[in-house]
Amino acid sequence: MPCPYGIDIPGIFAFYNRTVQDGSYITSPEQKGYARARRRYLLSYNKAVPTVRQADHCISCNKCMSLCPQHIRIPQELSRIDNYIEQLKTDSLG
């Protein structure tokens, strides 16, 4: 991993992309089974990516940017994913 702080960039992206592809990505509180799906999503994220390696630990140092063969703006994407996770944690997805 290109992150000097140990953020699991590939793991975070893999988890996020998998949930979008398999339909377990939560889009709104009005979604059928929202409460259960929300809990399941957060538990799955914690299981897939160890807490100290999750997106919220990214400090946007940008050291990963030059190493990304796909030219993804990694810090911005991690921030976007972290914002989504935080909205789920605080039940403020809207």
Side-chain angles (χ1 to χ4, degrees), residues 18-69:
R18 185 177 63 251
T19 63
V20 169
Q21 290 174 345
D22 72 13
S24 60
Y25 182 80
I26 301 160
T27 56
S28 94
E30 287 78 35
Q31 191 171 331
K32 183 178 179 181
Y34 167 76
R36 174 179 248 166
R38 179 178 154 266
R39 282 191 303 275
R40 188 177 322 126
Y41 192 97
L42 291 171
L43 287 171
S44 295
Y45 180 61
N46 286 333
K47 195 179 283 187
V49 183
T51 305
V52 297
R53 300 192 182 281
Q54 292 181 358
D56 62 330
H57 288 89
C58 176
I59 64 165
S60 298
C61 70
N62 292 319
K63 292 185 180 183
C64 55
M65 295 284 291
S66 63
L67 300 172
C68 180

